């Protein structure tokens, strides 16, 4: 060939040459650019020979990007108010080509040698340590970085700044440093200690040493996502890395630990072993999301991460139940489609199905499969099936004995049920049913059903005496939801009953099946602890028995089981399997609930219903509903101390409950928050408020004009940086339209409010009854600017589009949304998030049409 095609975007190439390894002089090459494809072609003077080595040299210029990707400019102010500039990179998925011409696809792994010239007052960081620095002139230094290991372009990183750092060495001898702007280095200690613990954990867990000599964690003042796993130089939003023991809340500590765990897990999953193409992004992200949970559980048991795992699966399901969802592994081609893969399906659903698989295979077999996969494919690229094959191999090499019931599908095999409730092969006399080598579990066949089709199953359970009849179908929300024919999952079912809390297991691989119980039971609960990614419907009086169980003695089943019943019952209302009154019957028990998972799940189901009604003139029903929700949690709210005492879960619960109570104007809460705010204002912001109640106090304070202005004055101060997001939430709850409008405008300008925070601010304003129409108008008027800043297809755009429209429930709102997005060019109109928004509004309309009157009646009969 005489053409070499590379990726390049926004680079001004001034010259290129191709040199053969044979020592002949370099030949000039012509350069052609194809902007739409983000590619350049180098045309050689004579054809390049196959099997020969050539060196390309390219001269080019470019400006630092003013977006948040590529090689971009970031700024911050010092305590004294001086504006300082730094430059940082964010390449994933397709922005390395904005910094240097390259083969910018994950499968083109290479080694990178980087040199950076800088002023003496700055320091340069990259993936590898500096091997030498040369002074070129008194005002220019050239740093030479060690050559990297073999890796993908999207993981290359460099930062030029005046950051300060602190360092420690891990048990395995890796130097870990945290870099921040100089004034915030005193907030870096927590992250440093967490990173040391976590990196040591992963080296032991994966039995593969971390291959680089160092790992830097850098907090970048302007950063679009939460963090990025660049090999050896992970980068973070400040709020995802910096922790102030005096001021930061429990939720902030949990978030920081999880984000660090996520990025460090990527050093193996993603960096060492990388997906071949972006269609399997979940191999990176689902894993890193899942490993957060595995690692933090062991390194920081006091954070009780198991209390927050379920939330993710419920979040993933709400998106995955829409027709606009996509399979975990799905074809993508252009940069916008690639960016769209960074969503709840790749991350949260990915982690939930891995959790289900681990629960099914057992933790040991699962870990053996992971280790085998990582060892086999180090420095290479993989596809979905490579992982499943490694898991299956691990299953064979570690034939485990299962002390529980495994019934292969009825009708394929002569099974007999022993009196003790075990299913066994007739000829098998061993006391444990187990998988032998002869009948290897086919992990790939099972997991393909979860990764290659979208959505998830609903299992319908009908109890007839000792026989439990099961049926599976796809769960889909929506007005004209397509039929679920053709969808079939291999579901690792688990259940407990009133007679036995020993978890029974059964792999369901057909549309319908039957389980035979040893004896009749009062109740049966499937999907124990919600470890499976499916929901369950109980026919006949199945739900009544469970509702009764919750009423009589809710602690008989685990808090995760209770949370999953609350979630499932409301999801079944959406597809008309149950009436809304049945779901509300179940919520009555919440008066006695004290655990974080079920309480928050109750709020997550009930508050959005209130929000939908609040936007419509529902003759007082919304007020009654709000009173009912407050009434359910009143005792719990009244019990809360306004302090930072207790375990992390108790503190997270306190934060949510007090914010809920104050926002929904529960008087005792509002009065207390007002008193705190007044004291705090009198002290000119020096009084130290408990971290977990601050958001509630600020939100109440921001309701008055003076309070809002005072909060804003503090927001602008360096001292309150850790609390920036709490204050933004409070400012966005103002009842003044002018203030809300100003806040969004500032987010777009980016000097008082950082543009990185704009997506949250727009969504906060949209949740505010005084602001929801402002947020929609703002989105329409500034669409072009927002896309330019955040990139089409990015998660930030999706957050804004779905967040602004989430509570719409009228036909005229639906028409407006459809009209606006169809007026845009096709690329915008076709975005997943636009389809999600439209489907969600249609679903809300249907929900209100069906249930508004029923809720009204139920409240009159049961609460008033």
């Amino acid at each position: 060939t005489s053409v070499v095609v590379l990726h390049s975007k926004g680079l001004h190439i001034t010259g290129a040459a191709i040199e053969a390894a044979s020592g002949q002089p370099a030949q000039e090459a012509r350069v052609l650019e194809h902007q739409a494809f983000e590619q350049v072609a180098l045309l050689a003077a004579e054809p390049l020979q196959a099997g020969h080595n050539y060196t390309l040299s390219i001269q080019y210029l470019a400006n630092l990007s003013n977006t948040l990707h590529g090689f971009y400019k970031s700024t911050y102010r010092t305590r004294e108010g001086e504006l300082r500039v730094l430059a940082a990179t964010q390449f994933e998925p397709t922005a390395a080509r904005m910094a240097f011409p390259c083969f910018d696809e994950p499968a083109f792994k290479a080694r990178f040698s980087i040199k950076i010239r800088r002023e003496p007052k700055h320091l340069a960081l990259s993936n590898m340590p500096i091997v030498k620095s040369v002074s070129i002139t008194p005002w220019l230094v050239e740093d030479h970085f060690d050559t990297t290991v073999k890796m993908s372009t999207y993981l290359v990183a460099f930062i030029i700044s005046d950051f300060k750092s602190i360092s420690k060495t891990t048990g395995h001898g890796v130097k870990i440093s945290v870099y921040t702007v100089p004034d915030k280095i005193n907030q870096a200690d927590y992250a440093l200690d967490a990173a040391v613990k976590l990196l040591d954990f992963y080296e032991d867990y994966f039995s593969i040493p971390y291959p680089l000599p160092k790992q830097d964690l850098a907090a970048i003042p302007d950063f679009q996502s939460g963090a990025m796993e660049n090999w050896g130089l992970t980068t973070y939003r400040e709020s995802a890395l910096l922790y102030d023991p005096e001021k930061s809340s429990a939720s902030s500590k949990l978030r920081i630990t999880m984000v660090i765990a996520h990025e460090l897990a990527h050093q193996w999953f993603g960096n060492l072993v990388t997906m071949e193409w972006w269609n399997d992004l979940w191999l990176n992200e689902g894993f890193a999301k899942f490993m957060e949970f595995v690692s933090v559980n062991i390194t920081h048991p006091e954070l009780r991460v198991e209390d927050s795992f379920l939330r993710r699966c419920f979040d993933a399901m709400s998106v995955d139940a829409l027709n606009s969802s996509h399979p975990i592994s799905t074809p993508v081609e252009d940069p916008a489609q690639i960016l769209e893969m960074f969503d709840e399906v790749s991350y949260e659903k990915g982690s939930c199905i891995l959790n289900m698989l681990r629960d099914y295979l057992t933790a040991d077999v699962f870990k053996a499969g992971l280790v085998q996969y990582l060892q086999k494919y180090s420095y290479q690229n993989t596809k979905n099936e490579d992982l499943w094959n490694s898991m299956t191999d691990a299953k064979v090499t570690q034939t485990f004995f299962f002390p529980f019931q495994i019934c292969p599908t009825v009708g394929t095999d002569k099974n007999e049920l022993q009196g003790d409730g075990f299913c066994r092969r007739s000829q098998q006399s061993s006391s444990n049913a187990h998988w032998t080598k002869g009948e290897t579990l086919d992990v790939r066949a099972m997991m393909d059903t979860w990764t290659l089709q979208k959505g998830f199953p609903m299992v319908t359970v009908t109890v007839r005496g000792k026989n439990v009849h099961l049926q599976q179908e796809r769960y889909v929300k929506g007005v004209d939801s397509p039929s679920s024919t053709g969808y079939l999952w291999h579901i690792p079912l688990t259940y407990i009953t009133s007679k036995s809390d020993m978890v029974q297991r059964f792999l369901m691989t057909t549309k319908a099946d039957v389980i035979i119980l040893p004896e009749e039971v009062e109740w049966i609960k499937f999907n124990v602890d919600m470890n499976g990614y499916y929901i369950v419907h109980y026919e006949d009086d199945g739900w009544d028995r469970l509702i009764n169980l919750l009423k009589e003695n809710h602690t008989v089943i685990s808090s995760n089981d209770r949370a999953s019943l609350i979630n499932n019952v409301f999801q079944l209302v959406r597809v008309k399997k149950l009436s809304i009154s049945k779901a509300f019957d179940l919520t009555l028990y919440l008066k006695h609930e004290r655990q974080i998972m079920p309480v928050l799940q109750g709020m997550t189901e009930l508050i959005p219903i209130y929000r939908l009604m609040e936007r419509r003139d529902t003759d007082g029903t919304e007020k009654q509903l709000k009173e009912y929700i407050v009434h359910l949690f009143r005792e719990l709210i009244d019990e809360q101390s306004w302090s930072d005492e207790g375990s992390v879960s108790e503190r997270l619960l306190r934060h949510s409950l007090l914010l809920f109570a104050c926002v929904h104007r529960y008087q005792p809460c509002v009065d207390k928050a007002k008193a705190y705010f007044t004291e705090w204002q009198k002290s000119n912001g020096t009084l130290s408020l408990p971290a977990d109640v601050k958001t509630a106090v600020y939100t109440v304070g921001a309701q008055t004009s003076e309070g809002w202005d005072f909060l804003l004055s503090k927001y602008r101060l360096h001292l309150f940086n850790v609390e920036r997001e709490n204050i933004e939430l409070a400012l966005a709850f103002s009842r003044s339209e002018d203030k809300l409008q100003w806040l969004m405008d500032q987010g777009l300008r980016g000097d008082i409010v950082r543009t990185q925070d704009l997506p949250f601010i727009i969504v906060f304003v949209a949740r505010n009854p005084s602001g929801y129409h402002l947020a929609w108008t703002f989105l329409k008027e500034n669409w072009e600017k927002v896309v330019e800043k955040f990139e089409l297809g990015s998660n930030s755009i999706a957050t804004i589009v779905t967040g602004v429209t989430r509570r719409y429930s009228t036909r005229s709102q639906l028409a407006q949304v459809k009209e606006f997005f169809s007026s845009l060019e096709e690329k915008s109109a076709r975005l997943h998030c636009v389809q999600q928004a439209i489907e969600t509004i249609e679903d809300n309309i249907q929900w209100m049409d069906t249930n508004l009157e029923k809720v009204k009646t139920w409240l009159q009969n049961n609460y008033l």
Side-chain angles (χ1 to χ4, degrees), residues 166-226:
I166 53 171
S167 309
K168 276 189 178 170
T169 304
T170 68
H172 292 281
V174 180
K175 182 183 178 188
I176 300 209
S177 310
V178 178
Y179 285 84
T180 76
V181 302
D183 291 338
K184 297 185 187 174
I185 194 65
N186 61 335
Q187 297 168 21
D189 295 300
Y190 180 77
L192 182 62
D193 291 339
V196 168
K197 268 190 189 168
L198 286 158
L199 201 72
D200 272 337
F201 169 84
Y202 286 133
E203 288 207 51
D204 293 337
Y205 185 89
F206 296 134
S207 319
I208 297 176
Y210 172 74
L212 309 186
K214 61 95 172 171
Q215 167 68 251
D216 298 332
L217 296 81
I220 313 292
D222 297 284
F223 201 80
Q224 184 166 342
S225 63

Side-chain angles (χ1 to χ4, degrees), residues 184-338:
K184 297 185 187 174
I185 194 65
N186 61 335
Q187 297 168 21
D189 295 300
Y190 180 77
L192 182 62
D193 291 339
V196 168
K197 268 190 189 168
L198 286 158
L199 201 72
D200 272 337
F201 169 84
Y202 286 133
E203 288 207 51
D204 293 337
Y205 185 89
F206 296 134
S207 319
I208 297 176
Y210 172 74
L212 309 186
K214 61 95 172 171
Q215 167 68 251
D216 298 332
L217 296 81
I220 313 292
D222 297 284
F223 201 80
Q224 184 166 342
S225 63
M228 176 63 209
E229 70 267 20
N230 316 300
W231 214 342
L233 175 56
T234 50
T235 48
Y236 303 78
R237 217 175 234 252
E238 289 185 332
S239 59
L241 195 67
L242 303 182
Y243 182 80
D244 180 339
E246 299 294 300
K247 290 189 166 163
S248 298
S249 62
S251 56
S252 157
K253 179 183 268 189
L254 177 64
R255 178 188 174 197
I256 290 166
T257 317
M258 295 300 260
V259 174
I260 295 171
H262 182 99
E263 303 316 323
L264 295 185
H266 271 311
Q267 308 300 301
W268 284 266
F269 272 102
N271 301 11
L272 183 65
V273 180
T274 313
M275 73 265 142
E276 193 167 298
W277 180 244
W278 301 104
N279 61 325
D280 279 328
L281 174 69
W282 87 278
L283 286 174
N284 282 12
E285 297 303 350
F287 259 101
K289 207 78 188 137
F290 176 66
M291 289 309 300
E292 295 171 16
F293 168 71
V294 175
S295 60
V296 175
N297 209 352
I298 302 219
T299 58
H300 297 76
E302 72 285 358
L303 293 179
R304 290 195 55 84
V305 284
E306 58 276 20
D307 285 345
S308 51
F309 191 75
L310 269 199
R311 261 269 30 90
R312 305 180 166 177
C313 304
F314 295 147
D315 287 348
M317 283 175 152
S318 70
V319 171
D320 205 16
L322 296 169
N323 205 34
S324 55
S325 185
H326 61 88
I328 280 185
S329 182
T330 202
V332 286
E333 283 166 19
D334 65 46
Q337 290 173 342
I338 292 169

Side-chain angles (χ1 to χ4, degrees), residues 155-169:
L155 293 167
V156 175
F158 28 91
I159 299 170
I160 297 86
S161 69
D162 63 346
F163 285 180
K164 293 266 180 288
S165 66
I166 53 171
S167 309
K168 276 189 178 170
T169 304

Side-chain angles (χ1 to χ4, degrees), residues 45 48 128 188 207 318 436 489 537 595 605 628-629 643 661 738 770 787 847:
L48 308 181
M128 300 298 285
S207 319
S318 70
T436 61
W489 283 267
H537 173 44
Q595 291 295 310
E605 299 299 345
Y628 171 67
I629 303 172
S643 71
D738 292 346
S770 312
V787 168
W847 198 96

Side-chain angles (χ1 to χ4, degrees), residues 541-767:
D541 64 347
W543 272 108
D544 293 333
R545 288 164 181 255
L546 288 165
I547 289 170
N548 199 42
L549 168 71
L550 290 174
K551 200 163 74 187
E552 305 280 305
N553 186 3
H554 63 277
T555 54
V556 173
I557 55 174
S558 71
S559 65
N560 273 5
D561 273 330
R562 305 197 295 271
S564 78
L565 288 174
I566 295 166
N567 169 274
N568 286 193
V569 80
F570 279 95
Q571 303 323 306
L572 292 164
V573 173
R574 285 198 176 273
V575 290
K576 304 196 163 108
K577 288 284 177 189
L578 282 178
S579 69
I580 187 71
S581 53
K582 189 70 75 194
F584 269 79
D585 289 345
L586 185 141
T587 61
L588 284 163
Y589 103 91
L590 284 166
K591 262 187 90 64
H592 308 291
E593 183 57 82
R594 292 297 176 265
Q595 291 295 310
I596 181 164
M597 273 302 305
V599 168
L600 292 186
Q601 199 51 42
M603 289 164 82
T604 304
E605 299 299 345
L606 291 167
I607 294 170
I609 297 177
Y610 163 68
R611 292 259 172 248
L612 283 181
M613 294 185 174
E614 179 188 46
R615 298 282 150 86
R616 301 256 293 257
D617 186 16
T618 55
D619 60 343
T621 308
E622 82 286 353
K623 194 165 166 295
Q624 290 168 8
L625 177 57
K626 180 178 78 175
E627 283 167 10
Y628 171 67
I629 303 172
V630 170
H631 152 84
L632 281 182
F633 301 115
R634 177 179 290 141
E635 276 176 39
L636 197 51
I637 294 164
D638 293 344
E639 281 166 21
Q640 298 303 316
S641 69
W642 287 57
S643 71
D644 286 337
E645 289 154 12
S647 70
V648 171
S649 289
E650 286 165 347
R651 292 179 61 186
L652 290 171
L653 184 58
R654 174 184 306 132
H655 166 89
S656 295
L657 281 169
L658 295 181
L659 182 60
F660 158 77
C662 283
V663 164
H664 295 90
R665 309 210 170 95
Y666 174 53
Q667 211 51 49
C669 180
V670 173
D671 295 343
K672 200 150 191 180
K674 258 189 192 149
Y676 265 111
F677 190 82
T678 309
E679 287 295 297
W680 180 69
Q681 203 172 346
K682 269 189 201 147
S683 76
N684 196 18
T686 54
L687 177 77
S688 171
L689 294 171
D692 299 317
V693 304
K694 269 181 192 156
T695 321
V697 172
Y698 292 162
T699 305
V700 168
Q703 295 296 306
T704 69
S705 192
E706 310 78 60
W708 197 91
D709 293 340
F710 180 73
L711 255 179
L712 179 66
S713 69
K714 294 302 167 218
Y715 175 82
R716 299 177 73 159
L717 293 182
H718 188 274
L719 207 58
F720 286 87
N721 250 317
V722 180
E723 301 174 45
R724 216 167 55 204
E725 292 175 4
N726 294 343
I727 299 180
E728 284 167 357
L729 179 106
L731 294 174
F733 255 101
S734 164
R735 284 179 247 181
S736 149
E737 294 191 7
D738 292 346
K739 287 185 174 355
L740 297 176
Q741 186 63 45
W742 182 87
L743 205 54
M744 293 189 292
D745 291 342
Q746 286 305 320
L748 199 55
R749 278 192 47 196
D751 42 328
I752 297 174
V753 176
R754 287 193 183 271
T755 300
Q756 61 170 25
D757 296 342
L758 177 64
F760 308 120
I761 288 177
I762 296 176
V763 174
F764 290 151
V765 170
R767 284 186 192 164

